[in-house]
Amino acid sequence: MFQRCHRSSSRMWRSFVVCFRNPTACRCRSLCGIARTARATAESERDPAVESTVQLLLQGNRAKLAEAITLVESTHPSKRRLGQSIVSTVLEQFHRNHPATFRIGITGPPGAGKSTFIESFGTFLTSRGHKVAVLAVDPSSSRSGGSLLGDRTRMPLLSHDGNAYIRPSPASGAEGGVTRSTGEAILLCEAAGYDLILVETVGVGQAEHAVADMVDMFVLMTPPAAGDELQGMKKGVVELADMVIVTKADGGLVQQANHIKAEYLSALRFLRRQSKLYHPQVQLVSCVENKGIDKVWDEMCNYRRIMQDSGHFESKRSVQQKAWMWHHIRHQILTRFKQHPVVRERYKEYEGFVVDGVLTPGAAADKLLLYFLDHRHSRD
């Protein structure tokens, strides 16, 4: 089976090269379609409309920024290609004079006060001359696929701030509480002149590695009164945190907030650090009384300075870029696998075999993969 799959993979790669060089001569409808997508993207990058959109976006045009993010989030192939063309052109022109930007990921359990904190923190930053972009990812329904996208209503002050941009997006089942296009959205916001990017994620879980792989600093938020000391969170999430913020530290919750802070400080001493240069800090915040916001920002700036002086800041971004390249490759391959006509025709049958105990899940997967590889020249 291995030799057969290896031969299939070799033929598939040769077909990819042929498709890219002469896409009109190929009738392939499987993985080689990626080559036609890449070719079309390269050609559309020279489109005057793309150039015009990019120039307006680089000038800070909010409408063009929203349009570009909508295109990269689209699942429609032609719109997706156009969005990738804009991103590629932005990447070329933006990095000629790359300004200093800071990407901060914010996660926490429901009710932790993430949106409330982001509004207070965002207005604090814009009052000091910063331009803030908030990429808020809302959970999607597992049945309908819909999302409420209500982050703008939860941040009324920040949504009317001229130096802030809020973009809610549906998670659409993506792992890590981020969409597959969040990385491109970050780049587009930076190109439009936003120097601070806040990525608010769906919640807490082991897949939060996906969030940490796209930001410079990963912040975990927790309420002061939510049960046991670590709020039932997975150890892996706490290990990822560069900072822990205990929210709602006001009124009758001050004592509990200090107790939770002490518990986290104790736990962080025994967990593996993300960097040997910086020890994660725990901060208390009250958005109602507007306390602790300045201390949080000062500590974030301290973290940023340490990472930049050591060279770790840029090296981390380089590693993240490679990680997201493979993330997109996995997503594209899985998408094309699911859309393949033979797979669509046979997968229900093999699901039945698995449910009835005729085949193991692994054996059924191998069979479908062989159908996919052996029938890659089938038409849709």
Side-chain angles (χ1 to χ4, degrees):
M1 181 185 294
F2 174 80
Q3 292 179 344
R4 185 180 183 187
C5 290
H6 178 73
R7 289 196 301 271
S8 298
S9 299
S10 300
R11 293 196 303 269
M12 181 173 61
W13 173 249
R14 288 196 298 271
S15 298
F16 177 90
V17 174
V18 171
C19 283
F20 185 83
R21 291 177 178 174
N22 187 14
T24 58
C26 180
R27 299 181 181 277
C28 172
R29 293 295 186 273
S30 180
L31 273 179
C32 298
I34 298 175
R36 291 194 300 281
T37 300
R39 179 84 177 203
T41 300
E43 291 174 350
S44 62
E45 285 173 3
R46 296 186 290 271
D47 189 336
V50 170
E51 291 290 341
S52 175
T53 298
V54 169
Q55 291 306 315
L56 289 172
L57 191 151
L58 293 174
Q59 295 170 16
N61 188 298
R62 294 164 67 96
K64 291 300 179 182
L65 172 60
E67 178 184 333
I69 295 178
T70 298
L71 288 172
V72 298
E73 288 181 344
S74 176
T75 57
H76 191 282
S78 62
K79 292 180 180 179
R80 175 77 178 159
R81 285 196 296 269
L82 182 57
Q84 288 301 318
S85 300
I86 293 173
V87 171
S88 298
T89 307
V90 163
L91 192 63
E92 292 175 1
Q93 301 189 22
F94 177 54
H95 278 278
R96 294 174 187 171
N97 185 24
H98 195 296
T101 61
F102 194 19
R103 307 166 183 174
I104 303 170
I106 298 176
T107 191
K114 296 187 292 294
S115 297
T116 304
F117 169 78
I118 288 174
E119 176 165 64
S120 299
F121 187 51
T123 53
F124 170 85
L125 294 172
T126 57
S127 67
R128 283 156 177 75
H130 293 284
K131 295 193 69 177
V132 180
V134 180
L135 301 177
V137 184
D138 270 6
S140 298
S141 168
S142 59
R143 295 186 177 183
S144 67
S147 297
L148 292 177
L149 302 181
D151 294 274
R152 293 180 66 89
T153 61
R154 294 197 296 268
M155 306 177 195
L157 295 177
L158 195 60
S159 62
H160 290 90
D161 192 322
N163 289 320
Y165 175 77
I166 302 175
R167 173 74 185 202
S169 300
S172 302
E175 291 186 352
V178 292
T179 72
R180 59 178 172 79
S181 55
T182 304
E184 284 97 339
I186 290 175
L187 174 64
L188 291 170
C189 288
E190 291 175 340
Y194 295 92
D195 60 317
L196 289 170
I197 315 297
L198 307 181
V199 183
E200 180 193 1
T201 67
V202 172
V204 176
Q206 289 179 335
E208 292 294 292
H209 284 271
V211 186
D213 279 342
M214 66 169 59
V215 296
D216 304 315
M217 187 175 194
F218 186 63
V219 178
L220 174 63
M221 302 191 68
T222 178
D228 59 70
E229 288 79 0
L230 293 183
Q231 315 301 318
M233 295 179 187
K234 294 182 174 67
K235 173 185 173 184
V237 178
V238 182
E239 282 183 332
L240 291 173
D242 299 304
M243 177 186 288
V244 176
I245 297 177
V246 182
T247 59
K248 307 178 184 180
D250 48 54
L253 295 176
V254 173
Q255 184 177 354
Q256 289 173 294
N258 280 295
H259 174 70
I260 293 297
K261 177 180 178 179
E263 292 293 343
Y264 269 98
L265 285 172
S266 177
L268 288 168
R269 293 192 185 99
F270 299 99
L271 297 178
R272 183 178 58 187
R273 300 184 192 179
Q274 290 297 301
S275 171
K276 295 181 180 179
L277 302 172
Y278 182 82
H279 184 76
Q281 301 295 306
V282 182
Q283 301 288 335
L284 297 179
V285 165
S286 169
C287 295
V288 173
E289 298 179 355
N290 200 26
K291 292 181 179 179
I293 302 292
D294 54 343
K295 292 181 180 179
V296 167
W297 177 238
D298 289 342
E299 188 57 40
M300 287 180 174
C301 291
N302 180 48
Y303 168 86
R304 184 182 185 183
R305 178 185 56 78
I306 293 173
M307 295 297 105
Q308 286 180 330
D309 291 347
S310 65
H312 183 73
F313 195 86
E314 292 300 324
S315 63
K316 182 179 181 180
R317 285 197 177 186
S318 299
V319 171
Q320 289 175 345
Q321 290 296 99
K322 290 188 287 186
W324 274 89
M325 178 191 75
W326 286 106
H327 170 82
H328 281 287
I329 289 173
R330 288 192 296 270
H331 180 270
Q332 287 286 344
I333 291 177
L334 181 60
T335 299
R336 293 187 179 276
F337 173 79
K338 290 180 176 179
Q339 293 175 348
H340 192 277
V342 178
V343 174
R344 288 203 307 264
E345 180 184 335
R346 303 299 298 272
Y347 82 91
K348 286 289 186 183
E349 176 185 1
Y350 280 90
E351 283 181 345
F353 290 156
V354 171
V355 171
D356 295 338
V358 177
L359 289 175
T360 65
D366 288 341
K367 291 285 188 180
L368 287 172
L369 285 169
L370 284 176
Y371 281 127
F372 176 62
L373 293 172
D374 289 344
H375 296 83
R376 66 186 185 280
H377 293 289
S378 300
R379 287 182 176 272
D380 286 330

